[in-house]
Amino acid sequence: MKASRSKDSSNGGPQDEKPAEHDAGEATKDFCPGYKDVDAFTKYALGTVLSATKASAALPQTGDDFDFYRSFPGFREFCETQGDRLLHCMSNIMQHHGCRSHIRDNNKLTGLEDKFDLLVDSNDVILEKVGILLDEADGVNRSQKPVMPVGYQTPKIVVSSWNRKGADPRRSETFRLLQARNVTRPQMRFKEKVDNSNIPFVPKIFIKPNATKPLPSYFTDKQIRKERPEDLDVPAALADFIHQQRTQEHVEDMFAHPYQHELDHLTIPERLLSKTEPQMFKPMADTKCSFIDTLEDLVALNETLCKVSEFAVDLEHHSYRSYLGLTCLMQISTREQDYIIDTLELRGELYLLNEVFTDPDVVKVFHGADSDIEWLQKDLGLYVVNMFDTHQASRALQHARHSLDHLLKQLCNVQSDKRFQLADWRIRPLPEEMFEYARADTHYLLYIYDRLRVELLDFNHGQPALLQSVWNKSKDISLKKYSKPIFTEESYQELQRRQKRAFNTQQLSAFRLLFAWRDKLARQEDESTGYVLPNHMMIKVAEELPKEPQGIIACCNPVPPLVRQQVNELHLLVQQAREMPLLKAEIVAQTKKGFTPIKKVEGTLFGPHDTSRTSESDGSVCLPDAAASSSELPEQKKQGALFSEAEPETDMDTLDATGLVARAKVTIFEDLTTGNAVLSVAKQKAGRIIESFQNPFRMYLPLADVHVNKTAKQDPSSKVYEISQRWKLQSVEQQQKELEVKRTAREKSKDKARKAAGERKKAKLDYQESLKDVPTVRQQVAEAALKKEDGEGKKRERMPSEAGESTPVPPKKTKSPQKAPEKSPPPQPDFKPFDYSQSNLKVFAGANARGGMHFDPNKPYHDPTKKKNPRGNKPNLAGNRSMSYMPGKSDRGFRHNWPKR
């Protein structure tokens, strides 16, 4: 990002300088939107990761707990939703970094293991990018671009120089050689047959150069060494036994390191612990490189190496098409020349190099020699004395990374090419590109060795202690011994623990049988177990337990060739596993871990009168007659257990231990009278109660005199099998019933809601249709106004007018409430005026002078400030009402006390 920004700013003109400065000022304010600096962002990110880790740890573990929670639809939907979100986020991140992002596409992946491998590869790509960016920040190869793994790039793929189809030589091509087709198996040309037997590895050495302790007689006697168990025409188990009897006296010599004594007494000379000037490497173009594939060239190389003081070594290995793997190439570089040795062609003659490889005066420089030491012993019979491992030196210096690629960048300023890291090195003739790649691994290693020695001394202030520790660690690596993979009956458990799968008895049996079949076939055909049957396919077959051979083929995509050939044998193994009785995963886990239920009996201190640790039910066991007690106890246990399949002879330790408990001779609760003694009334009553008591659970207990056939218990069609297996199926049936009830309730609620919605919609439509013919309020008001105008016009036409007078048309005005009494209807003809002579008019005395005592809404309001009372009295407003009372409004709750007529 920094490089791209600087590049853009350099291309811009002077007009872009101010915006760039402004952006830089904003960048200094906030490192990231919402975070001031790197520390704040890192603190928040670590807190988020910690909370996510805690939340994931709180989820149910794989097994019965997870299956129980998985049975709830809410938990299952939540897991699927969150899983899709996580896969979507991971896919976006992987796509952003240029990796394969098909983690959500199940069609392009074969299973969970492929997803896990894809995730691991993506993490490697991202971490590689981070390391490169950190190197650029430190000033190392600032102009270099991030190196992507070959498998995740999309340019044109070129296998090698012989099928380059007119490509431009100036254009950089991407090579990917994971597996080559139609390659002749080099094992067919070996003079010594590959030993894939199930016996420990024996060192391939019969001559010991530079020895201070002679080689044991077992290795020098060819007759003993030629005897191999697989040459005997007997079963494999018997062959292994015969071989063990023959070699029992040579066991200590066979499995000891041949150069144990020389390495223990190795001393590093002072010149290797002192500071020297690093010797610069020569360019590869000016350095000669020889390909060694004949015995004469090998002898000449051995003589040349004996004259130098140090040389670098590296190996190229292939493990996919061989059970134990093959060492295909050996690269050796001196200060003056590089050598590439064809170890497939010279496999039986490379023991000659032991003369220089075990010379304590010659330093052998390796990088990451842990695997190289074992490969040299396994295939070539070579041992190393006085070795320096640059990987251990890098670890002692606490470098950011310890790979050879990092050392080449940091110390040699060379960009390494890792395009052929996973190539098939069995290809012959060796292509030019692969030849140059193999040569570069050791060409710069001696210069790196010189630089690291100087840095180790400078890091420890000139003291050789740190450098001496690197020499000691390198010597410990030289003491490693190769050991062959030995198959045992428990070998499958290690792979099962790594996969963290919970199998039942049938699946575990299938997994065990498939694991043994795969190992046996891989040893016979000299193929890797991954080629015969990959782990994820084997687990898939063990989990599914297909009933037909086509089901086994369907579990493998793509189908391995040996699986297609041996599919009938695999089908027989799966059928054999399906015949195993089905048990829960918890019992399988206990059996897998080797736990056996042991019934511990308390070691009681007993005496003739001690009954504190025994119960009344054990009275029959504690009888002096041991024979009677031992014969009665199995019957009681068998009657008390529901569908017990335990044999009577089991739990003999418990019988013996309980038989040791003696019965008390004298107790305070026991009546010592015997014979026909008369019992008391209370005891007789208690005896009758006990005799009348019946066990309420007797109907669930099996009858003692009924014999149940053992085959009926294993027959699924029998009633006994159904009853005995009912406890296993009860949880499943209960879950199915609950799901059915929930499903029906959900459907009923949906139907009810659907009907209610339809009724509401229908009522709404009916209401809208009923309102179509009803006029609105405005239409009603307009019609009322028109009718009222028509009525007034008719009234005016009926009124007579005098001759010669014209009545003017009055303007339309709204009627005021004061004119309402004028429009009262004319009095009836039988109206008689009221005789006021008989009335008491004193009530109205003074009413005209001071006005009414009560408020009249029909009279206009007079302001007292404008028009005063002639007598100077203030008007008495009844009810103490406000003077701001508006005219035309009346108190609705007030009752007028008008005089009655």
Side-chain angles (χ1 to χ4, degrees):
M1 295 173 63
K2 295 180 180 179
S4 62
R5 290 179 181 176
S6 62
K7 185 176 180 180
D8 295 340
S9 61
S10 62
N11 294 336
Q15 298 178 358
D16 297 334
E17 294 179 358
K18 292 182 180 181
E21 294 177 359
H22 181 67
D23 294 339
E26 291 181 354
T28 56
K29 291 180 181 179
D30 289 340
F31 167 75
C32 191
Y35 305 97
K36 295 182 180 181
D37 52 1
V38 182
D39 294 336
F41 178 79
T42 305
K43 184 177 180 180
Y44 176 78
L46 289 177
T48 305
V49 172
L50 182 60
S51 61
T53 305
K54 289 182 178 179
S56 62
L59 293 175
Q61 298 297 328
T62 304
D64 289 348
D65 293 342
F66 182 79
D67 296 337
F68 172 72
Y69 285 99
R70 186 80 174 175
S71 62
F72 296 96
F75 181 84
R76 183 168 59 252
E77 294 175 0
F78 176 80
C79 290
E80 293 175 356
T81 304
Q82 297 299 325
D84 291 339
R85 289 183 59 189
L86 291 176
L87 291 178
H88 180 68
C89 295
M90 293 164 61
S91 178
N92 291 339
I93 295 175
M94 295 162 66
Q95 187 177 5
H96 175 74
H97 288 281
C99 307
R100 286 191 300 146
S101 58
H102 302 299
I103 195 169
R104 300 181 63 190
D105 191 355
N106 296 327
N107 297 329
K108 296 185 180 181
L109 295 173
T110 57
L112 184 61
E113 185 174 350
D114 285 351
K115 291 183 179 180
F116 182 80
D117 294 340
L118 179 60
L119 183 61
V120 171
D121 296 339
S122 303
N123 288 337
D124 294 339
V125 174
I126 296 173
L127 293 177
E128 185 72 16
K129 278 188 173 183
V130 172
I132 292 173
L133 294 176
L134 290 176
D135 291 341
E136 291 182 2
D138 293 336
V140 179
N141 289 341
R142 186 183 300 273
S143 60
Q144 295 294 332
K145 295 182 179 180
V147 178
M148 297 291 293
V150 176
Y152 301 103
Q153 293 180 350
T154 56
K156 181 180 178 180
I157 298 174
V158 179
V159 174
S160 190
S161 57
W162 60 77
N163 59 353
R164 191 186 291 276
K165 296 185 182 181
D168 188 2
R170 295 175 297 178
R171 182 181 178 183
S172 61
E173 297 288 342
T174 300
F175 299 89
R176 179 173 61 185
L177 287 173
L178 299 178
Q179 178 185 359
R181 297 180 180 273
N182 301 326
V183 176
T184 304
R185 304 194 68 186
Q187 299 95 313
M188 307 300 295
R189 303 195 307 268
F190 291 166
K191 297 178 181 179
E192 185 179 0
K193 186 165 54 175
V194 178
D195 182 16
N196 293 330
S197 60
N198 195 29
I199 61 174
F201 172 75
V202 180
K204 297 180 178 181
I205 185 172
F206 55 92
I207 298 176
K208 187 178 179 182
N210 304 310
T212 58
K213 181 181 178 180
L215 194 67
S217 60
Y218 173 79
F219 299 103
T220 57
D221 192 351
K222 295 183 180 180
Q223 184 65 26
I224 301 176
R225 297 177 70 252
K226 287 183 178 180
E227 293 177 352
R228 295 190 177 275
E230 61 268 19
D231 296 334
L232 301 176
D233 191 12
V234 293
L238 182 58
D240 293 342
F241 177 75
I242 295 174
H243 181 75
Q244 290 176 5
Q245 294 295 327
R246 289 178 177 177
T247 60
Q248 187 174 4
E249 57 183 4
H250 306 286
V251 170
E252 295 182 0
D253 299 335
M254 288 169 54
F255 304 121
H257 196 285
Y259 283 88
Q260 177 79 34
H261 184 268
E262 287 77 10
L263 289 171
D264 291 340
H265 296 80
L266 177 65
T267 57
I268 307 300
E270 291 296 332
R271 63 181 180 85
L272 298 179
L273 298 176
S274 60
K275 189 174 183 180
T276 58
E277 188 68 23
Q279 185 176 351
M280 192 64 183
F281 56 86
K282 291 184 178 180
M284 291 185 62
D286 301 338
T287 306
K288 182 181 178 181
C289 184
S290 302
F291 187 76
I292 309 298
D293 57 350
T294 61
L295 183 59
E296 293 77 8
D297 296 340
L298 181 63
V299 173
L301 173 62
N302 185 39
E303 296 176 355
T304 303
L305 295 179
C306 290
K307 299 177 183 179
V308 300
S309 58
E310 64 270 337
F311 60 88
V313 186
D314 192 21
L315 300 177
E316 300 297 341
H317 192 262
H318 177 81
S319 59
Y320 185 63
R321 296 302 306 274
S322 176
Y323 183 77
L324 300 177
L326 300 173
T327 301
C328 301
L329 281 182
M330 177 189 294
Q331 305 97 279
I332 296 178
S333 295
T334 62
R335 301 282 185 181
E336 304 296 334
Q337 192 174 354
D338 300 330
Y339 301 92
I340 305 295
I341 305 175
D342 187 359
T343 57
L344 297 178
E345 188 70 24
L346 300 175
R347 182 185 175 92
E349 289 81 14
L350 279 172
Y351 67 91
L352 297 175
L353 294 180
N354 266 329
E355 181 180 359
V356 64
F357 270 71
T358 58
D359 189 355
D361 296 331
V362 181
V363 179
K364 277 69 67 175
V365 182
F366 285 78
H367 181 82
D370 300 80
S371 300
D372 295 342
I373 292 295
E374 296 182 356
W375 295 340
L376 289 173
Q377 298 177 16
K378 171 177 65 72
D379 294 329
L380 310 178
L382 292 176
Y383 295 86
V384 181
V385 178
N386 194 7
M387 180 192 69
F388 186 88
D389 193 346
T390 55
H391 177 79
Q392 299 297 330
S394 176
R395 294 177 65 90
L397 292 171
Q398 300 179 3
H399 285 177
R401 288 183 296 158
H402 313 302
S403 62
L404 181 61
D405 183 20
H406 178 70
L407 294 177
L408 289 174
K409 292 179 183 178
Q410 189 175 9
L411 301 179
C412 304
N413 196 19
V414 174
Q415 179 67 36
S416 63
D417 188 2
K418 294 298 180 183
R419 292 176 296 176
F420 297 96
Q421 191 171 11
L422 299 178
D424 190 348
W425 292 97
R426 302 176 301 161
I427 298 175
R428 296 294 183 274
L430 200 64
E432 181 183 355
E433 296 85 356
M434 298 175 65
F435 186 86
E436 294 296 329
Y437 170 82
R439 177 188 178 189
D441 284 345
T442 57
H443 180 77
Y444 307 97
L445 201 55
L446 291 177
Y447 176 73
I448 294 175
Y449 158 70
D450 295 339
R451 288 285 304 272
L452 291 178
R453 285 174 53 201
V454 174
E455 290 184 8
L456 287 169
L457 292 173
D458 295 341
F459 189 81
N460 202 26
H461 307 287
Q463 299 297 325
L466 187 60
L467 180 58
Q468 181 66 46
S469 67
V470 175
W471 283 106
N472 294 336
K473 291 180 180 178
S474 302
K475 182 177 67 173
D476 295 339
I477 295 175
S478 300
L479 285 170
K480 293 184 64 175
K481 296 180 294 183
Y482 173 74
S483 59
K484 289 170 58 177
I486 303 299
F487 175 80
T488 61
E489 294 181 357
E490 292 79 16
S491 300
Y492 71 95
Q493 295 180 359
E494 182 180 359
L495 177 60
Q496 183 191 4
R497 284 192 294 268
R498 291 204 308 265
Q499 299 298 328
K500 298 180 180 180
R501 302 295 180 91
F503 291 149
N504 55 29
T505 50
Q506 294 181 356
Q507 294 174 343
L508 186 62
S509 178
F511 183 79
R512 176 175 55 83
L513 295 174
L514 291 175
F515 187 90
W517 171 86
R518 183 181 70 167
D519 185 85
K520 179 182 178 181
L521 188 62
R523 292 176 186 271
Q524 293 177 357
E525 301 293 336
D526 195 17
E527 300 285 358
S528 65
T529 56
Y531 177 81
V532 176
L533 181 62
N535 291 335
H536 65 276
M537 296 184 185
M538 182 171 60
I539 294 173
K540 183 69 172 178
V541 174
E543 287 181 344
E544 298 295 335
L545 295 176
K547 297 182 180 180
E548 300 294 337
Q550 292 79 6
I552 299 176
I553 300 296
C555 293
C556 303
N557 185 21
V559 184
L562 294 178
V563 172
R564 192 180 295 277
Q565 295 175 8
Q566 307 286 339
V567 64
N568 293 327
E569 185 177 355
L570 287 175
H571 182 231
L572 294 178
L573 295 177
V574 174
Q575 284 184 340
Q576 181 180 350
R578 292 178 66 90
E579 295 176 357
M580 295 291 294
L582 184 62
L583 296 178
K584 282 188 176 181
E586 296 178 357
I587 302 176
V588 177
Q590 292 180 1
T591 307
K592 177 186 68 175
K593 294 179 181 179
F595 296 150
T596 56
I598 301 175
K599 295 185 179 180
K600 297 183 179 180
V601 182
E602 296 181 359
T604 60
L605 295 177
F606 65 93
H609 307 289
D610 184 11
T611 59
S612 60
R613 298 179 181 271
T614 58
S615 60
E616 296 180 359
S617 60
D618 298 333
S620 60
V621 182
C622 301
L623 290 174
D625 191 358
S629 62
S630 61
S631 61
E632 293 175 2
L633 183 62
E635 295 294 334
Q636 294 175 1
K637 288 196 173 184
K638 191 170 184 180
Q639 291 178 4
L642 183 61
F643 302 111
S644 174
E645 298 178 0
E647 297 296 332
E649 58 269 20
T650 59
D651 201 8
M652 294 302 297
D653 297 338
T654 307
L655 294 179
D656 297 339
T658 54
L660 296 176
V661 182
R663 183 178 178 182
K665 300 298 182 181
V666 179
T667 61
I668 62 175
F669 304 102
E670 184 177 2
D671 189 3
L672 297 180
T673 59
T674 57
N676 299 326
V678 179
L679 300 176
S680 62
V681 178
K683 288 186 177 181
Q684 293 178 2
K685 187 176 181 180
R688 288 194 298 269
I689 294 174
I690 292 174
E691 291 176 359
S692 63
F693 177 77
Q694 292 182 356
N695 189 358
F697 301 102
R698 66 185 185 279
M699 59 189 303
Y700 300 104
L701 297 176
L703 299 177
D705 54 350
V706 176
H707 176 70
V708 180
N709 191 6
K710 292 184 178 180
T711 57
K713 296 181 180 180
Q714 304 295 334
D715 188 7
S717 61
S718 63
K719 192 66 176 180
V720 177
Y721 180 84
E722 179 183 356
I723 297 175
S724 61
Q725 298 293 326
R726 184 175 300 169
W727 65 274
K728 300 177 184 178
L729 304 176
Q730 183 178 4
S731 60
V732 179
E733 294 176 356
Q734 186 176 0
Q735 292 176 9
Q736 293 179 356
K737 290 180 180 179
E738 292 178 356
L739 291 177
E740 289 293 336
V741 171
K742 292 181 179 179
R743 189 180 298 108
T744 54
R746 193 182 300 110
E747 292 177 356
K748 289 181 180 179
S749 60
K750 289 183 179 179
D751 295 340
K752 187 175 180 181
R754 196 179 299 110
K755 291 179 180 179
E759 292 177 358
R760 288 195 300 269
K761 187 175 180 181
K762 183 177 180 181
K764 185 176 179 181
L765 293 175
D766 296 342
Y767 178 73
Q768 291 178 356
E769 290 178 358
S770 63
L771 292 178
K772 289 182 179 180
D773 300 333
V774 178
T776 60
V777 178
R778 293 185 179 181
Q779 295 176 355
Q780 294 177 4
V781 172
E783 292 178 359
L786 292 175
K787 291 180 180 180
K788 192 177 292 184
E789 291 178 357
D790 296 341
E792 291 178 356
K794 292 179 180 179
K795 288 179 181 180
R796 292 192 185 96
E797 291 176 357
R798 290 177 184 177
M799 293 176 62
S801 58
E802 298 180 357
E805 293 182 359
S806 62
T807 58
V809 179
K812 296 181 180 180
K813 293 184 181 180
T814 58
K815 298 181 180 180
S816 60
Q818 299 177 358
K819 298 180 180 180
E822 297 179 358
K823 294 183 178 180
S824 59
Q828 297 295 333
D830 56 348
F831 174 74
K832 296 179 180 180
F834 183 74
D835 188 8
Y836 289 96
S837 61
Q838 302 296 332
S839 301
N840 186 11
L841 300 180
K842 294 181 180 181
V843 179
F844 301 98
N848 295 331
R850 53 175 182 165
M853 294 295 293
H854 301 283
F855 175 74
D856 186 4
N858 295 325
K859 293 184 179 180
Y861 173 73
H862 299 282
D863 192 356
T865 56
K866 296 182 179 180
K867 194 173 183 180
K868 295 183 180 180
N869 199 342
R871 295 186 179 183
N873 297 328
K874 295 182 180 180
N876 186 10
L877 299 176
N880 295 329
R881 299 192 178 276
S882 174
M883 297 298 296
S884 61
Y885 196 88
M886 297 302 294
K889 294 183 180 180
S890 61
D891 192 353
R892 297 178 181 177
F894 187 80
R895 185 176 180 180
H896 299 276
N897 292 327
W898 301 106
K900 297 182 179 180
R901 293 183 180 178

